[in-house]
């Protein structure tokens, strides 16, 4: 499948873009899933901080086995291969959501929030999803942080996704996907250049400060269990702390907040 021309062609932009030292970008107009592309490249020895970008995915994947689809050329779809720089995989997912929020804040002046664990929201609308996967293979253990951002998709793309939106719809400004990508990678690079002993607490604080619906009541699901509880905040280990109707502290490890 070919991708129709867009006002912000990614391939030529990335060819002439200078990234922070040690980062490289690979671009394909169409990929089944940039996470799968990153995984097979890692198994063949692709280095730390290689970024895999596509204009369109034919088999994009979301969390919990869901499909992630986006109209061709409207979204920023990429996966970052990381093999060092943080001691725990959950920090890499925080790295993805915090860096994405920072880029949206600086480029568009919006106030995105992180719907636990790692969806990026503008108001009540999801504009970005993150799928982080840790695997052994090739040169050792690696983490793939896959990020899908709805950038320039119009309202028709969300006709059947009432909780989804795009940056252009929320800000009224078209965004160059290449510039957004480079801004996110710059933020990631800044975080990863912190000494490891500082990275964890600084990144957790930046993530926790942006937690969506803090002090508000939400409905959460973990496995077969659903409950109403009030969000306290994110914990350093990546779990979400809430208080239930009886005042008990509850921690969610692998569930989600329901919209
Ligand atoms: C979610 O919200 O469920 C996570 C969605 C993650 C989508 C991105 S798009 C780039 C990367 N490649 C994939 O197949 N998935 C992630």
């Amino acid at each position: 499948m070919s991708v129709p021309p867009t006002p912000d062609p990614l391939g030529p932009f990335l060819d002439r873009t200078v990234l922070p030292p040690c980062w490289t970008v690979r671009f394909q107009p169409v990929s089944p899933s940039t996470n799968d592309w990153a995984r097979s490249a890692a198994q063949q020895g692709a280095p730390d901080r290689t970024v895999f970008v596509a204009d369109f995915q034919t088999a994009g994947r979301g969390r919990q086995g869901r499909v992630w689809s986006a109209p061709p050329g409207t979204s920023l779809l990429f996966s970052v291969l990381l093999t060092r720089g943080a001691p725990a995989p959950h920090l890499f997912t925080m790295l993805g959501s915090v860096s994405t929020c920072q880029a949206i804040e600086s480029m568009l002046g919006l106030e995105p929030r992180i719907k636990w664990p790692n969806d990026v929201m503008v108001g009540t609308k999801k504009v970005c999803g993150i799928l982080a996967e840790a695997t052994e293979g090739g040169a050792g253990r690696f983490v793939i942080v896959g990020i899908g951002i709805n950038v320039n998709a119009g309202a028709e793309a969300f006709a059947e996704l009432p909780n989804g939106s795009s940056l252009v719809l929320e800000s009224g400004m078209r965004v160059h996907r290449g510039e957004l990508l480079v801004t996110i990678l710059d933020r990631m690079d800044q975080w990863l250049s912190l000494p490891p002993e500082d990275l964890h607490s600084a990144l957790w604080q930046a993530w926790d400060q942006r937690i969506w619906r803090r002090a508000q009541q939400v409905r959460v699901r973990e496995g077969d269990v659903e409950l109403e509880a009030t969000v306290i905040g994110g914990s350093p280990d990546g779990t979400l702390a809430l208080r239930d109707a009886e005042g008990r502290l509850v921690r969610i490890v692998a569930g989600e907040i329901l919209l």
Side-chain angles (χ1 to χ4, degrees), residues 202-214:
L203 194 50
W204 162 63
Q205 284 175 44
W207 177 74
D208 182 45
Q209 273 167 14
R210 292 176 173 82
I211 283 286
W212 189 70
R213 295 263 157 104
R214 181 189 304 282

Side-chain angles (χ1 to χ4, degrees), residues 211-231:
I211 283 286
W212 189 70
R213 295 263 157 104
R214 181 189 304 282
Q216 294 179 45
Q217 193 162 334
V218 294
R219 188 157 190 83
V220 293
R221 178 169 52 211
E222 187 161 46
D224 295 337
V225 179
E226 279 191 25
L227 79 153
E228 302 262 343
T230 303
V231 174

Side-chain angles (χ1 to χ4, degrees), residues 21 23 34 42 47 50 55 73 120 124 133 155 166 187 197 227 236 251:
W23 290 82
T34 57
T50 308
D55 249 340
V120 176
T124 59
E133 299 177 304
S166 65
R187 296 296 180 277
E197 62 275 18
L227 79 153
R251 279 192 194 285

Side-chain angles (χ1 to χ4, degrees), residues 138-210:
R141 186 169 176 76
F142 53 85
V143 176
I144 294 160
V145 183
I147 303 183
I149 308 175
N150 304 323
V151 182
N152 292 321
E156 65 288 350
F158 304 100
E160 288 169 24
L161 295 168
N163 301 315
S165 188
S166 65
L167 296 180
V168 70
L169 291 173
E170 296 308 306
S171 70
M173 286 184 265
R174 280 192 80 84
V175 180
H176 193 294
R177 291 172 300 152
E179 287 170 9
L180 179 61
L181 174 65
V182 170
T183 308
I184 295 169
L185 298 183
D186 274 336
R187 296 296 180 277
M188 286 187 170
D189 187 65
Q190 285 169 14
W191 286 110
L192 292 173
S193 61
L194 288 179
E197 62 275 18
D198 297 341
L199 176 65
H200 192 155
S201 79
L203 194 50
W204 162 63
Q205 284 175 44
W207 177 74
D208 182 45
Q209 273 167 14
R210 292 176 173 82

Side-chain angles (χ1 to χ4, degrees), residues 24-178:
T24 48
V25 172
R26 301 184 191 177
F27 172 76
Q28 284 181 355
V30 181
S31 163
S33 154
T34 57
N35 269 33
D36 294 345
W37 178 18
R39 178 191 308 275
S40 62
Q43 284 161 349
Q44 290 159 33
D48 184 44
R49 303 183 198 197
T50 308
V51 185
F52 301 83
V53 188
D55 249 340
F56 182 66
Q57 296 182 129
T58 52
R61 294 187 288 109
R63 289 180 66 240
Q64 305 193 333
R66 298 189 187 111
V67 169
W68 180 269
S69 63
T74 62
S75 299
L76 180 55
L77 308 167
F78 67 105
S79 300
V80 182
L81 175 66
L82 295 164
T83 59
R84 62 184 166 83
H90 71 267
L91 281 188
F92 287 128
T93 61
M94 290 181 186
L95 177 72
S97 57
V98 169
S99 300
T100 299
C101 284
Q102 290 178 309
I104 294 170
E105 288 158 11
S106 69
M107 290 178 71
L108 294 169
L110 295 172
E111 286 191 4
R113 290 286 172 266
I114 298 168
K115 176 176 162 286
W116 186 88
N118 275 300
D119 289 345
V120 176
M121 309 289 291
V122 176
T124 59
K125 304 287 185 178
K126 174 170 171 172
V127 296
C128 164
I130 297 181
L131 176 67
E133 299 177 304
T135 323
E136 302 279 341
R141 186 169 176 76
F142 53 85
V143 176
I144 294 160
V145 183
I147 303 183
I149 308 175
N150 304 323
V151 182
N152 292 321
E156 65 288 350
F158 304 100
E160 288 169 24
L161 295 168
N163 301 315
S165 188
S166 65
L167 296 180
V168 70
L169 291 173
E170 296 308 306
S171 70
M173 286 184 265
R174 280 192 80 84
V175 180
H176 193 294
R177 291 172 300 152

